[in-house]
Amino acid sequence: MKIKYNNIWKSFLVLSVVAGFGTGCKKFLEATPVESINKSVALANEQGVVQEMNGAYQIVGGTNMFGGKIQIMGELLADQLDGSQLNGDFGEIYGRKTSVFGAYKNDMYKDIYQAIYRSNVVLENLGVTSSLRDNLEGQALFVRALGHFEAVKLWAQPYGYSSDNSHLGVPLRTAASIGTQQRATVKQVYDQIIADLKIAEVKLPDENNGYATKWAAKALLAKVYFQMNDFANAYLYANQVIASDKFTLDTYASRFSETGCKESIFKITNNRGTYEPGGELRGQFRSDFNLPTLRFNSAFWATVNTATDTRKALYETVKYPGFVATKKYNSDRFEIPVLYLTDMKLIRAESAAETNTNLNVAIQDINEILSRAYGGTKSIPVGSSASLIRTNARFERSIEMAGEGNRISEIKRIGAKGENIDRRGASWNCNGLVLQFPQGEMATNSSFVRNPEGGCN
């Protein structure tokens, strides 16, 4: 199976990806399909470049990325699901012993790099653009950074695994080339992600008619620095996003809803009858009709099932006795937040605790999360220690973002700081927490270095 990066010219539905307020949905849907444009002239003008950028967004929101697989892959590798009855690809991934085979994983890998490829095509054809040049450059750099970030988190040991981060990461593709590519170091990948996003935050406007904004770039920078345990910079960027006052905490019911969420900084928007993302999330997690394939374990449920935690309402434990299923995706249609305010609040709070600065701000962030979660019955006191803030930030994150693929990033990030938090008992740096590259990546490149085989014993 060869990975065909030049499949860029395949036909596609044009996706509406909304960062922030989502006023540009109609323009996405009115774009001319790529297959109706002669390939030799498709990128000859600004319209063609815009359309190619739309194609990159389409992949980002599709099934193999944030339409479901990225979140599901993260959940399968982590420690909150009940994997006792999983088999096939899911059983292999949950078992933390992936091979070069497995279409579920391999298709996700291919599409991540398809999104990166399309972004590179845009960057290499900016010469035909005029008024939108900076905007398109910023969008392409944002999507390229997002793709590389998701890939390096899943296919490489985390930042901090080696003292200088010279351990192998993922192929770093910064040109629209379909040739083979060796793995860059993790440091090189993260350096490129940061460089791309720092340009993007300058090039992108404050609001962008439905496309990625400067706030999306800043929010992603906050997540990247947080994953690196660079808490000073994580605080800096999370604080900028929060201080913009463009986003406000919203109800749990709104986070994955058709009407949208006031927290969303970058999201995949539903357009009824035209583009309805999240089918894979519904297919694997939805619990209102049947017992879903993916359920949560009793250890996780014990963290939510407390007297005043209102988030218990997000789980189904009555209809299927002995099982814990989420209701988060129980809707025919919903928007998918990729970057949102709750995450920024928790990043800012934990980063403040780690640097022992701005603790009053961190306490306020934690208490806003606690107030919503526990109906105003729980808070931490003024003057709380950095340790108490950090403990609360980590604990609330584990519940707030359950089912969204975030937990595996925490296991690896905190592990790199010297703390094993995996509830399944594995070491944070075991081979099985890193996905194996698909055979297609290695088929035409005999010198490509694959990840070590083995699981997490």
Side-chain angles (χ1 to χ4, degrees):
M1 178 186 64
K2 183 178 179 180
I3 296 178
K4 298 179 180 179
Y5 295 103
N6 56 342
N7 278 351
I8 187 170
W9 302 106
K10 283 184 176 180
S11 61
F12 60 83
L13 279 173
V14 178
L15 163 69
S16 171
V17 174
V18 177
F21 302 100
T23 57
C25 303
K26 189 175 180 181
K27 292 189 177 181
F28 270 82
L29 300 172
E30 290 176 344
T32 306
V34 162
E35 73 273 15
S36 69
I37 305 175
N38 185 292
K39 180 176 177 180
S40 65
V41 299
L43 296 167
N45 55 40
E46 189 168 87
Q47 181 182 359
V49 178
V50 167
Q51 187 165 27
E52 188 63 16
M53 192 68 246
N54 286 347
Y57 281 123
Q58 180 261 339
I59 296 172
V60 168
T63 294
N64 288 326
M65 286 189 69
F66 288 101
K69 284 193 179 179
I70 282 178
Q71 298 93 320
I72 289 168
M73 190 68 66
E75 292 299 320
L76 288 169
L77 286 171
D79 60 2
Q80 295 180 328
L81 293 185
D82 174 4
S84 61
Q85 297 181 26
L86 296 176
N87 51 41
D89 281 2
F90 281 8
E92 181 183 83
I93 297 162
Y94 180 83
R96 295 169 168 176
K97 192 175 287 187
T98 61
S99 68
V100 296
F101 306 105
Y104 199 87
K105 164 180 60 71
N106 295 351
D107 288 348
M108 181 178 72
Y109 182 86
K110 287 188 291 183
D111 266 13
I112 287 173
Y113 277 101
Q114 276 281 351
I116 291 170
Y117 180 91
R118 291 184 184 229
S119 298
N120 285 329
V121 170
V122 170
L123 292 168
E124 292 179 9
N125 286 275
L126 291 172
V128 300
T129 63
S130 54
S131 59
L132 292 178
R133 182 181 180 122
D134 282 355
N135 196 332
L136 287 165
E137 182 180 0
Q139 291 179 57
L141 289 169
F142 172 82
V143 171
R144 186 169 78 179
L146 182 63
H148 281 128
F149 185 49
E150 294 303 324
V152 77
K153 285 191 297 177
L154 289 170
W155 275 274
Q157 292 286 1
Y159 198 93
Y161 172 79
S162 61
S163 60
D164 59 357
N165 293 294
S166 60
H167 57 289
L168 289 179
V170 294
L172 186 58
R173 289 185 162 94
T174 57
S177 169
I178 62 173
T180 58
Q181 185 79 38
Q182 300 297 339
R183 296 171 68 180
T185 67
V186 164
K187 183 180 187 303
Q188 289 171 328
V189 176
Y190 271 87
D191 285 350
Q192 186 65 55
I193 291 168
I194 290 169
D196 283 353
L197 290 173
K198 286 194 170 182
I199 297 172
E201 69 168 320
V202 174
K203 298 281 188 178
L204 288 169
D206 189 75
E207 296 182 22
N208 203 15
N209 197 33
Y211 297 83
T213 67
K214 66 186 294 182
W215 304 109
K218 288 176 183 292
L220 187 52
L221 273 166
K223 285 183 72 73
V224 170
Y225 280 122
F226 192 62
Q227 195 65 32
M228 297 166 67
N229 290 311
D230 181 343
F231 298 111
N233 277 312
Y235 183 97
L236 173 69
Y237 279 98
N239 185 62
Q240 288 181 28
V241 174
I242 296 166
S244 73
D245 291 327
K246 287 183 168 294
F247 317 99
T248 56
L249 289 181
D250 210 341
T251 65
Y252 295 119
S254 71
R255 188 177 295 174
F256 290 88
S257 68
E258 187 174 3
T259 55
C261 181
K262 296 175 184 176
E263 293 195 40
S264 295
I265 304 162
F266 182 76
K267 64 184 178 182
I268 315 301
T269 297
N270 178 85
N271 288 279
R272 187 180 284 244
T274 304
Y275 189 83
E276 299 178 355
E280 186 65 11
L281 292 171
R282 288 186 287 272
Q284 305 302 337
F285 279 110
R286 188 169 185 173
S287 61
D288 48 350
F289 298 129
N290 301 289
L291 178 66
T293 301
L294 300 182
R295 291 98 62 171
F296 290 82
N297 58 40
S298 58
F300 168 74
W301 175 236
T303 67
V304 185
N305 188 25
T306 58
T308 59
D309 195 333
T310 65
R311 292 168 297 194
K312 287 186 296 186
L314 296 174
Y315 296 89
E316 176 60 70
T317 60
V318 176
K319 185 179 291 188
Y320 314 109
F323 297 99
V324 179
T326 185
K327 300 178 183 178
K328 187 174 283 190
Y329 305 118
N330 285 5
S331 177
D332 291 341
R333 304 167 188 86
F334 49 72
E335 295 184 343
I336 303 170
V338 176
L339 300 166
Y340 60 94
L341 187 61
T342 293
D343 193 9
M344 295 297 106
K345 291 272 189 181
L346 291 169
I347 287 174
R348 185 168 74 169
E350 187 169 341
S351 296
E354 290 285 1
T355 57
N356 201 30
T357 58
N358 302 304
L359 296 187
N360 59 325
V361 175
I363 291 167
Q364 181 178 344
D365 286 338
I366 293 297
N367 281 337
E368 288 180 7
I369 300 296
L370 293 176
S371 179
R372 180 180 61 179
Y374 299 93
T377 66
K378 184 176 179 180
S379 64
I380 60 174
V382 174
S384 291
S385 67
S387 177
L388 182 63
I389 294 167
R390 179 174 55 247
T391 297
N392 275 272
R394 290 181 180 179
F395 181 78
E396 296 308 319
R397 172 181 288 277
S398 72
I399 300 175
E400 287 282 333
M401 303 182 77
E404 298 177 30
N406 182 257
R407 177 68 179 172
I408 189 61
S409 297
E410 290 295 280
I411 291 170
K412 293 182 178 184
R413 177 185 70 82
I414 296 171
K417 291 175 82 291
E419 305 172 56
N420 267 323
I421 66 168
D422 180 56
R423 295 188 184 119
R424 291 165 64 186
S427 173
W428 64 275
N429 58 358
C430 63
N431 292 338
L433 290 184
V434 179
L435 296 177
Q436 185 58 269
F437 290 90
Q439 181 64 33
E441 181 66 274
M442 298 175 275
T444 58
N445 185 0
S446 60
S447 62
F448 188 90
V449 180
R450 68 178 64 194
N451 283 322
E453 297 288 350
C456 294
N457 299 321

